[in-house]
Amino acid sequence: MLRRNEILVLVLVLSSAACSSDVELADDAQLTRGAELLLPFKRDLKSALVSGLEEGPVSAIGVCKVQAPAIAERLSIDGVEMGRASHRLRNPANQGPAWIGGIMQDYLRSGSSRDPVAISLSGQRIGYAEPIVVQPLCLTCHGQALAPEVARHIEEAYPDDQATGFEIGDLRGVYWVEFPQKVE
Ligand code: HEC
C-alpha cells in the first residue's frame, strides 16, 4: 500500500510531468482506489502461479493460460475492468485498452520511474496502471535461457510469443484497471 506522503510526492512529481503531455492525471484518492482494486487480482494470480509451479513449469504454463484470464474476468464487474498488458506480449489477447500504451512507453523511457499512475478517461472513468517488474521466479518462463521443454510448450501455445529474454528488474508490463469515477 502507498502511504499518504508517498502519494503526495507522487502526485507532485506527476503533476509536473503532466505539463508536457495532454494526459489528465487523477487525484490521489483514485490512485489509492486503483491500487486497492488490483490487490485481489495480484494475490490470486500469484497463488495460481505458485501452486501451478509446484506441479512443474510445464503444468504452470497451462495454469497461467487458463487462470490468468479467468481471474481477470471474475474481478471485472460493476463497471470495473482489469488485466495485465505488456510491450512484449506473450498472449496477443492481453494488449489491453489504448490508454495504457503511453504509460508503458513512459515507464520504458524513464527507466527508473516505477510509480503507479492514475489518469482521467472519457465517460467519467479512471485508468490506473502500475508496473510489473521481472523477479527471479519469472525467469523460468520469461528469461533468457528457458529449459527446452518449457520453450517448446510456450511456442506451441503462443506462436507469436515476444515475452522471453527478460532479466531480473526489467519492466515486464503493467497491471491496469479501469473504473467509474465516484461522484461524491
Ligand atoms: C510457468 C511459466 C510462467 C512463469 C513462471 C511466469 N509466467 Fe508470465 N506468463 C506465462 C504465460 C503462459 C502467459 C500467458 C497467459 C495468458 O495466456 O494470458 C504469461 C503472461 C504474462 C503477462 C501478461 C502479458 C503477456 O505477455 O501476455 C505478464 C505481465 C507476465 N506473464 C508476467 C510475469 C511475471 C512478472 C512473472 C514472475 C512473477 C511471470 N510472468 C512468471 C507464463 C509464466
Side-chain angles (χ1 to χ4, degrees):
M1 274 304 300
L2 288 171
R3 284 192 301 274
R4 244 203 112 67
N5 55 351
E6 285 171 338
I7 291 171
L8 187 66
V9 169
L10 190 61
V11 168
L12 291 175
V13 169
L14 290 173
S15 308
S16 53
C19 299
S20 59
S21 78
D22 53 3
V23 172
E24 195 194 331
L25 292 167
D27 61 30
D28 57 354
Q30 311 293 3
L31 269 177
T32 306
R33 184 154 149 71
E36 282 171 0
L37 283 167
L38 280 182
L39 279 179
F41 184 44
K42 290 157 64 174
R43 184 198 56 212
D44 292 0
L45 270 177
K46 181 86 189 276
S47 72
L49 179 64
V50 169
S51 58
L53 282 171
E54 279 164 13
E55 310 291 313
V58 168
S59 104
I61 294 169
V63 170
C64 275
K65 189 167 186 218
V66 176
Q67 290 287 322
I71 295 167
E73 198 174 327
R74 176 164 52 75
L75 295 168
S76 293
I77 44 167
D78 295 335
V80 175
E81 271 179 74
M82 66 183 75
R84 294 182 301 173
S86 180
H87 52 299
R88 280 162 58 186
L89 283 170
R90 171 149 294 168
N91 185 346
N94 290 330
Q95 194 171 15
W99 58 264
I100 296 164
I103 293 176
M104 219 144 48
Q105 287 311 317
D106 280 350
Y107 283 139
L108 286 168
R109 254 198 310 268
S110 68
S112 55
S113 168
R114 296 278 162 90
D115 298 323
V117 181
I119 61 172
S120 294
L121 304 173
S122 62
Q124 302 244 301
R125 288 174 70 75
I126 302 292
Y128 169 93
E130 58 183 65
I132 302 178
V133 177
V134 175
Q135 303 160 30
L137 169 72
C138 320
L139 297 181
T140 313
C141 303
H142 295 294
Q144 295 188 323
L146 303 195
E149 211 195 2
V150 171
R152 187 165 57 80
H153 277 83
I154 289 176
E155 208 177 293
E156 270 170 26
Y158 304 97
D160 297 323
D161 181 37
Q162 298 173 47
T164 57
F166 286 96
E167 292 180 31
I168 295 168
D170 282 350
L171 183 78
R172 171 66 184 89
V174 294
Y175 290 107
W176 63 267
V177 56
E178 243 191 76
F179 50 94
Q181 186 172 356
K182 270 192 198 147
V183 185
E184 307 290 341

